[in-house]
Amino acid sequence: MTLRLSVDPASATAPYEQLRAQISDQARSGRLPVGYRLPTVRGLAEELGLAAGTVAKAYRALEADGVVETRGRGGTVIAAAGDAAARQAATAAAGYAAEVHRLGLSRADAQAAVADALRAAYDR
């Protein structure tokens, strides 16, 4: 099991976000199993030629997303993220549904907006 990450400095996406997305994708796909220990912040920063603060920001975002957990001296490990991700998605969906209902959009218009947003996010 090897963590494979790359950062494109020419990308419009911030380096920490590139790391967050790649680690999240690998964890959710199962390529990084629950309990897999991520490199230290300093170690990964050196390996990728990034500032330690950039890697730390990515790790904090991943922890907030429920993808990783920090175990003190035990390091940062992949958490059982499926349930946390599903809960966050359900919360976001409920908030969206309440907002579009408040705005008076029809169900069809609300669903079309979601379909457009998903296409934009996944079909990059």
Side-chain angles (χ1 to χ4, degrees), residues 18-99:
Q18 292 179 50
L19 290 178
R20 187 210 57 77
Q22 290 175 53
I23 293 170
S24 181
D25 289 347
Q26 290 179 42
R28 290 199 170 105
S29 72
R31 285 178 288 179
L32 295 177
V34 171
Y36 179 86
R37 187 173 175 183
L38 295 174
T40 64
V41 167
R42 185 174 293 146
L44 186 56
E46 287 176 10
E47 181 182 326
L48 296 174
L50 298 171
T54 299
V55 176
K57 187 173 182 178
Y59 279 17
R60 284 192 305 272
L62 287 162
E63 190 162 26
D65 292 345
V67 176
V68 301
E69 58 186 45
T70 302
R71 296 180 177 169
R73 292 187 167 259
T76 302
V77 299
I78 301 298
D83 290 338
R87 280 193 308 274
Q88 287 179 7
T91 299
Y96 174 77
E99 183 65 11

